[in-house]
């Protein structure tokens, strides 16, 4: 606004107090008065923080190509701000609570999305979507947008991806073939024990199960039985459709016991509870055989792109859709964005512009991929490993992108059918307001951090540690949290 101030200097001096009250320095005024440029008249730079796990050497090249389109279409540029997945929650929270320039941020129920919204760290998007995001409304199912709301307002736009998922185990195909492992005989999670035994006995340098971080072995074994509502402190049972303490439920107890059995047998990494390495990277380093995960059509191909090995998986559950299908991965506007309207215009492009989405997800054509005659893509000839790999599930409309080879050309139609087959959580669309029990939530979260990863990786003995865990949770106020969740959940159901 320098040009404006220079031209009416005396008028501004005379009514400076009024201008301040009227919001001369507000985000809305700056966006409407300067056409999206910054204070120096340059196109506004949109800083976007997101999760990364793998190689991004060529990110500056991809960013430059994206900006050629963004600058032309909305008179802005984007600065991609990748944050390692192991540090994402801590780093993104620091950015949201500090004064660092940040416009867009990938938010998630796994990283405290509802709490961030309730604390005012994210901007409500309802009005901005109506004015600058009509393309979003055309492609994102209303059910997902509604399921994303916190206290009746929208604080993030869900990525269009697999919002149904099933559970299973993905593993190196070369090892499966080498030992003639018959995966058709694997019908249950327990059946995998025979597979792990073969790998353990014949490949001593490979750990059979290399799950790390929050996707623990137990998380998957108990998958489809509970909707954890983002924090596991009072979950909704699919079977009973009630809020319960998951850590006392028979299905959870069985899962941690099986996990412990596998840990003692040497099938699980000894440092599974503390490792900062992504499971796929451990397999890539030729130190692991496979890992449990929630999955979707084309998962094996996706993981091959990360691990560098041909992968094969077994599906061991139905397709489920949880509350985090709507809140699992969103693009939100940070409270300290200096130009929320421009930020929303970029979000809109990520749901409508196939050129931008292919650049963001797949990189530069000819350098990071080439298009095959069937409409799928592959690494360019003579390229063994891409220097740009992006976790496409977290941002935008993935249905606009090319599928990778190994997937059918109609991959996104297959994905749509997969999504349509999902069994929806009894709590889908419910968001919990933690304010009435925030003290108890903080105390119980500390207990979660002390025990959960240890139990769910098999590191801790559930015979001793699980009762301790539950005792400390109750002392921290878990019963009060569950009572409040029940109250809010029942009130929500009455409105449906």
């Amino acid at each position: 606004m320098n040009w404006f101030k220079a031209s009416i200097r005396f008028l501004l001096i005379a009514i400076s107090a009024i201008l301040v009250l009227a919001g001369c320095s507000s985000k809305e005024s700056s966006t409407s008065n300067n056409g999206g440029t910054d204070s120096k008249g340059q196109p506004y730079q949109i800083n976007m923080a997101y999760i990364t796990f793998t190689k991004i050497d060529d990110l500056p090249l991809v960013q430059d190509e994206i900006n050629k389109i963004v600058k032309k279409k909305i008179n802005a540029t984007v600065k991609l701000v990748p944050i390692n997945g192991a540090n994402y929650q801590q780093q993104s929270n620091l950015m949201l609570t500090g004064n660092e320039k940040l416009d867009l941020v990938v938010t998630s129920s796994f990283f405290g999305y509802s709490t961030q919204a309730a604390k005012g760290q994210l901007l409500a998007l309802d009005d901005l979507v109506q004015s600058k995001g009509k393309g979003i409304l055309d492609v994102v199912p209303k059910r997902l947008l509604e399921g994303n709301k916190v206290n009746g307002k929208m604080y993030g736009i869900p990525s269009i991806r697999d919002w149904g998922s099933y559970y299973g185990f993905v593993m190196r195909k070369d090892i499966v073939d080498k030992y003639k492992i018959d995966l058709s005989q694997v019908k249950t999670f327990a059946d995998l024990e025979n597979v792990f035994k073969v790998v353990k006995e014949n490949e001593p340098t490979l750990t059979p199960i290399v799950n790390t971080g929050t996707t623990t072995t137990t998380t998957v074994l108990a998958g489809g039985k509970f909707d954890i509502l983002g924090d596991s402190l009072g979950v909704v049972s699919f079977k009973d459709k009630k809020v319960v303490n998951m850590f006392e439920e028979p299905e959870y107890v069985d899962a941690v016991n099986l996990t412990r059995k596998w840990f003692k047998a040497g099938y699980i990494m000894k440092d599974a509870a503390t490792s900062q390495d992504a499971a796929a990277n451990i397999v890539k380093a030729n130190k692991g055989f496979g890992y449990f995960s929630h999955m979707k059509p084309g998962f094996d191909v996706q993981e091959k792109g990360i691990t560098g090995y041909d992968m094969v998986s077994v599906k061991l559950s139905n397709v489920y859709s949880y509350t985090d299908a709507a809140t699992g991965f969103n693009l939100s506007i940070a409270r300290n964005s200096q130009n929320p309207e421009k930020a929303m215009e970029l979000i809109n492009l990520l749901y409508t512009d196939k050129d931008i989405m292919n650049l963001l997800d797949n990189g530069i054509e000819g350098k990071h991929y080439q298009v095959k005659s069937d409409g799928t893509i592959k690494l360019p000839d003579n390229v063994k490993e891409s220097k740009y790999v992006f976790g496409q599930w977290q941002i935008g409309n993935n249905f606009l992108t090319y599928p990778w080879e190994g997937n059918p050309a109609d991959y996104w139609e297959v994905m749509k059918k997969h999504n349509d087959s999902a069994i929806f959580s009894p709590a889908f669309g419910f968001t919990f307001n933690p304010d009435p029990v925030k003290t108890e939530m903080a105390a119980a979260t500390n207990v979660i951090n002390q025990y959960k990863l240890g139990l769910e990786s098999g590191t801790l003995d559930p015979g001793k540690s699980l009762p301790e865990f539950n005792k400390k949770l109750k002392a921290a106020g878990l019963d009060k949290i569950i009572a409040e969740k029940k109250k809010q959940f029942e009130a929500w159901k009455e409105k449906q």
Side-chain angles (χ1 to χ4, degrees):
M1 291 177 61
N2 289 343
W3 61 272
F4 183 76
K5 291 179 180 178
S7 64
I8 56 170
R9 179 185 303 272
F10 295 109
L11 182 58
L12 279 178
I13 292 172
I15 59 170
S16 59
I18 298 174
L19 281 172
V20 169
L21 291 173
C24 178
S25 62
S26 73
K27 298 178 180 70
E28 292 77 12
S29 294
S30 65
T31 60
S32 62
N33 288 344
N34 62 19
T37 59
D38 64 17
S39 61
K40 297 179 181 178
Q42 297 298 314
Y44 182 72
Q45 177 181 291
I46 302 166
N47 286 11
M48 181 170 75
Y50 63 95
I51 308 164
T52 188
F53 294 100
T54 50
K55 290 183 74 66
I56 53 172
D57 300 15
D58 286 348
L59 184 145
L61 301 178
V62 174
Q63 179 176 283
D64 287 346
E65 292 301 311
I66 291 173
N67 281 333
K68 289 177 183 178
I69 305 172
V70 173
K71 186 175 180 181
K72 182 178 179 181
K73 291 206 167 187
I74 64 170
N75 191 33
T77 60
V78 59
K79 179 181 179 182
L80 300 175
V81 184
I83 301 173
N84 184 274
N87 305 320
Y88 191 77
Q89 182 167 11
Q90 180 184 19
Q91 292 289 4
S92 60
N93 275 332
L94 286 173
M95 296 174 81
L96 285 168
T97 55
N99 294 317
E100 185 172 350
K101 175 174 165 54
L102 181 64
D103 297 283
L104 297 177
V105 57
V106 169
T107 53
S108 170
S109 54
F110 307 113
F111 302 139
Y113 163 72
S114 296
T115 301
Q116 291 165 343
K119 286 183 176 180
Q121 294 169 2
L122 310 174
L123 296 184
L125 305 181
D126 304 75
D127 292 340
L128 282 168
V129 169
Q130 291 295 331
S131 62
K132 300 292 183 180
K134 291 294 176 62
I136 295 167
L137 298 176
D138 290 339
V139 296
V140 181
K142 184 177 180 181
R143 185 174 192 173
L144 287 187
L145 292 174
E146 288 294 320
N148 178 277
K149 290 184 175 180
V150 178
N151 297 331
K153 293 187 177 182
M154 187 190 313
Y155 290 90
I157 307 299
S159 61
I160 297 184
R161 60 187 193 282
D162 52 309
W163 44 76
S165 60
Y166 56 87
Y167 293 92
F169 189 79
V170 63
M171 65 207 99
R172 280 175 50 176
K173 186 176 183 298
D174 61 331
I175 302 298
V176 172
D177 293 343
K178 182 178 180 179
Y179 298 106
K180 297 181 173 56
I181 297 171
D182 185 2
L183 295 181
S184 69
Q185 298 303 305
V186 179
K187 307 293 186 183
T188 68
F189 286 108
D191 292 340
L192 282 166
E193 193 163 313
N194 295 325
V195 179
F196 301 150
K197 187 171 187 291
V198 170
V199 176
K200 175 71 174 174
E201 291 176 351
N202 293 282
E203 297 286 341
T205 62
L206 294 181
T207 302
I209 306 169
V210 294
N211 281 79
T212 60
T214 56
T215 306
T216 61
T217 302
T218 295
T219 301
V220 174
L221 295 179
K225 299 177 175 66
F226 309 103
D227 189 327
I228 65 170
L229 303 180
D231 54 39
S232 301
L233 296 170
V235 305
V236 171
S237 165
F238 269 68
K239 179 178 66 178
D240 299 328
K241 298 180 175 55
K242 295 178 180 178
V243 179
V244 298
N245 175 14
M246 177 176 72
F247 306 117
E248 291 181 326
E249 291 294 296
E251 296 91 340
Y252 183 85
V253 175
D254 290 345
V256 291
N257 283 332
L258 182 57
T259 301
R260 176 63 176 176
K261 179 184 177 183
W262 287 345
F263 182 86
K264 290 176 69 176
Y267 301 153
I268 296 174
M269 284 173 32
K270 294 299 182 186
D271 62 344
T274 58
S275 174
Q276 297 296 305
D277 289 330
N281 288 342
I282 298 171
V283 171
K284 181 179 180 178
N286 197 26
K287 295 179 180 179
F289 170 61
Y291 41 95
F292 289 101
S293 185
H294 50 80
M295 301 178 180
K296 61 184 178 182
F299 186 76
D300 300 354
V301 176
Q302 172 185 294
E303 298 308 285
K304 176 185 178 180
I306 302 173
T307 65
Y309 289 99
D310 285 331
M311 303 294 282
V312 61
S313 62
V314 286
K315 175 183 177 182
L316 297 171
S317 80
N318 291 320
V319 180
Y320 297 98
S321 192
Y322 306 93
T323 53
D324 62 25
T327 61
F329 291 99
N330 309 297
L331 202 52
S332 299
I333 299 180
R335 65 164 180 84
N336 47 346
S337 172
Q338 297 166 13
N339 200 325
E341 291 188 352
K342 279 295 163 195
M344 179 55 72
E345 288 179 15
L346 178 61
I347 298 177
N348 196 61
L349 288 179
L350 295 172
Y351 287 81
T352 57
D353 192 296
K354 66 179 182 180
D355 294 328
I356 291 176
M357 281 304 297
N358 273 296
L359 280 165
L360 185 65
D361 283 1
N362 300 318
I364 300 169
E365 184 175 355
K367 185 174 183 64
H368 302 114
Y369 71 89
Q370 67 185 52
V371 183
K372 297 172 62 179
S373 59
D374 66 353
T376 62
I377 59 176
K378 63 184 284 290
L379 287 176
D381 297 336
N382 302 319
V383 174
K384 292 184 178 180
E385 182 180 27
S386 177
K387 292 184 178 181
Y388 178 80
V389 179
F390 184 81
Q392 70 180 98
W393 31 266
Q394 60 186 303
I395 290 174
N397 182 0
N398 291 286
F399 283 33
L400 295 173
T401 63
Y402 293 114
W404 281 85
E405 67 175 348
N407 291 310
D410 64 345
Y411 174 68
W412 294 117
E413 285 299 316
V414 173
M415 181 66 77
K416 184 179 184 303
K417 291 178 181 177
H418 164 83
N419 285 338
D420 291 345
S421 73
I423 300 168
F424 277 80
S425 162
F428 193 89
F430 169 69
T431 54
F432 174 60
N433 176 12
D435 284 348
V437 287
K438 58 186 178 183
T439 301
E440 291 79 9
M441 290 285 290
T445 298
N446 288 335
V447 179
I448 288 274
N449 293 339
Q450 182 182 356
Y451 283 92
K452 190 169 182 288
L453 285 180
L455 281 165
E456 295 188 359
S457 62
T459 310
L460 295 177
D461 178 3
K464 176 177 181 291
S465 296
L466 188 56
E468 287 180 6
F469 181 34
N470 276 303
K471 184 177 180 180
K472 288 188 178 182
L473 282 173
K474 290 179 184 296
L478 180 61
D479 290 341
K480 185 176 179 181
I481 295 169
I482 289 177
E484 180 62 30
K485 273 193 179 176
K486 283 181 178 177
K487 175 184 172 183
Q488 292 186 26
F489 182 55
E490 293 303 318
W492 172 80
K493 284 198 297 184
E494 290 178 4
K495 296 177 182 178
Q496 303 307 299

